[in-house]
Amino acid sequence: MNRHTRDEIGRRRFLRTAATGAALGGAYLASGGLADLFALPRSASLLPAAGEGLQGRPFEMLVLGDSIMWGQGLKEEQKFSYQVAEWLRAQLPGIEVHRHVFAHSGAQIRADPVEDAKPPKHGEVPSHFPSIIAQLETARTAVFPLHPPLDPRSVALVLLDGGINDFGSKVIINPDPTVGRAWVRKVTREKCVDRMKALLPRVFRTFPNAKIVVTNYFQIVSERSDMAYLWELLSVWELVGGGINAMSEWLRTKMSDQSLAFHQESTNGFREAVADVSGQLAVGGKRAPVPGTVLEVGRLDRTPSRVALAEVPFGPDNAYGGPDTYLFYVNEPDPAASVRKPICMAQVANASPELPNCLLAATGHPNTRGARAYARGITKVLERWVPDWQADFGVKAPKGPPVTGREALELPRPRPLRP
């Protein structure tokens, strides 16, 4: 059976299991039902026995987080987590790479026992729950009906993001004149950074053999954003009214400043979170740098840290409405739209104000170009760990030039501005 056939079977199984989960309710989630929604079938012989090494075993990769990590609006093969898995297959010839996606649209870090116990919606439907903390617990304790559970010791890589939904994209670019950059930085620190700092050590301890990559967030709006596209977005999100019109250039500056404040504060905070976890590792019998310090990339390369931050290569031109945007426009048909629409109609009440938000959920998320940029940022970090994995899994390093797989991740030539 080839990989694409196996993935298709997994998607069909997702829909069947989702219906089961809806019928069984919270008890199903407690028994690991959420993990079963996203896990592809695996052989019963793939788990390592106690004390065994990783040689001859599959490479287990977990994807935890929100809509960006889920790949909102994209087909499966277009998602950056899929592209990363393909890249890993090139680095580890002969080793099966299993990608388990627990991330979903709208997920926030903060847990809620009541909401987290409810049946999960489809990954394309925005919902704060199951929270990312619940995703982690599900991955740790999942019981699968068709094969053994995923042993936390067997997980080799975790891709992780989170925090923007604890704050809210609409709030970040809020045109309210009483708030600004300082307020955005303050709330970003409280609702995004501090919660990631609490989450990351839990992921670190839960999967003791895994490398962990945290991705940062991009600047949503920049000074390069076209005001016409911003006006359309603000109108759909109902963030503008009388007194503000399409020619309000000050509004773009305000949105750009606040977007940049979120991007910078969250990125700096995530660097601190990575450094805090890295500081828990012993280096030559001594502790690594004091928690809270920011390690330079070169310094990280020289430590035994198994946690790193992948900073995605988005610039001002790639922001929403930018001349080379990496994000879906509000009314742009996305590749997953035909799949998402019937699911939204089935899982969101017709009279609910959340229905339009569900139908247009791809808005502002990385498009195919953006997903490739994310994949490039992540694989750049993973390159430092490839020799370790090749040794762990008993893979001989290929002769000749290193196998990078970058051809599949290269971005196409920039496209012209939309009319």
Side-chain angles (χ1 to χ4, degrees), residues 221-414:
V221 175
S222 77
E223 288 285 3
R224 298 284 290 158
S225 298
D226 189 316
M227 196 61 208
Y229 290 115
L230 294 183
W231 179 253
E232 180 184 43
L233 176 65
L234 294 174
S235 298
V236 170
W237 280 2
E238 298 180 339
L239 294 177
V240 291
I244 300 177
N245 57 57
M247 299 307 294
S248 301
E249 293 295 329
W250 66 267
L251 181 58
R252 175 172 57 191
T253 298
K254 176 178 173 57
M255 294 169 64
S256 175
D257 287 349
Q258 292 174 190
S259 296
L260 184 59
F262 173 77
H263 163 69
Q264 292 177 334
E265 191 68 26
S266 59
T267 299
N268 288 335
F270 289 177
R271 288 175 185 153
E272 295 168 12
V274 167
D276 286 352
V277 175
S278 299
Q280 298 175 19
L281 299 173
V283 180
K286 300 180 180 180
R287 305 300 286 177
V290 177
T293 60
V294 178
L295 299 180
E296 297 177 356
V297 173
R299 173 60 179 162
L300 282 173
D301 286 338
R302 295 191 295 273
T303 69
S305 177
R306 57 185 178 89
V307 186
L309 175 67
E311 299 191 29
V312 294
F314 279 48
D317 283 358
N318 311 131
Y320 188 89
D324 188 23
T325 185
Y326 285 175
L327 308 175
F328 285 117
Y329 291 104
V330 68
N331 286 315
E332 181 179 1
D334 60 271
S338 60
V339 173
R340 186 174 60 254
K341 182 176 180 179
I343 295 173
C344 289
M345 300 301 292
Q347 297 189 3
V348 181
N350 286 333
S352 171
E354 295 303 315
L355 182 56
N357 184 50
C358 183
L359 296 174
L360 300 174
T363 302
H365 288 85
N367 54 26
T368 55
R369 293 164 54 75
R372 289 187 181 185
Y374 258 88
R376 290 174 62 194
I378 293 170
T379 56
K380 183 177 180 180
V381 169
L382 298 186
E383 285 175 347
R384 75 179 69 162
W385 291 323
V386 167
D388 292 343
W389 284 325
Q390 288 173 340
D392 289 342
F393 286 88
V395 175
K396 293 183 179 180
K399 295 181 180 180
V403 178
T404 65
R406 287 198 180 278
E407 301 80 22
L409 303 181
E410 288 299 326
L411 294 173
R413 294 181 180 180

Side-chain angles (χ1 to χ4, degrees), residues 7-23 28 36-39 70 120-123 339 342-343 347:
D7 288 352
E8 179 58 31
I9 291 174
R11 281 192 288 271
R12 293 173 184 171
R13 180 165 161 265
F14 172 94
L15 296 176
R16 290 198 304 271
T17 315
T20 303
Y28 184 74
D36 201 50
L37 294 181
F38 296 105
W70 159 260
K121 293 181 171 64
H122 187 280
V339 173
I343 295 173
Q347 297 189 3

Side-chain angles (χ1 to χ4, degrees), residues 14 34 38 63-72 101-108 116 120-132 134-135 161 165 365:
F14 172 94
L34 177 62
F38 296 105
V63 183
L64 307 175
D66 54 33
S67 54
I68 294 176
M69 194 60 71
W70 159 260
Q72 185 87 60
V101 179
F102 293 85
H104 66 87
S105 178
Q108 64 179 35
D116 281 334
K121 293 181 171 64
H122 187 280
E124 279 288 308
V125 178
S127 175
H128 285 327
F129 305 99
S131 66
I132 300 173
Q135 294 173 25
D161 77 346
N165 292 314
H365 288 85

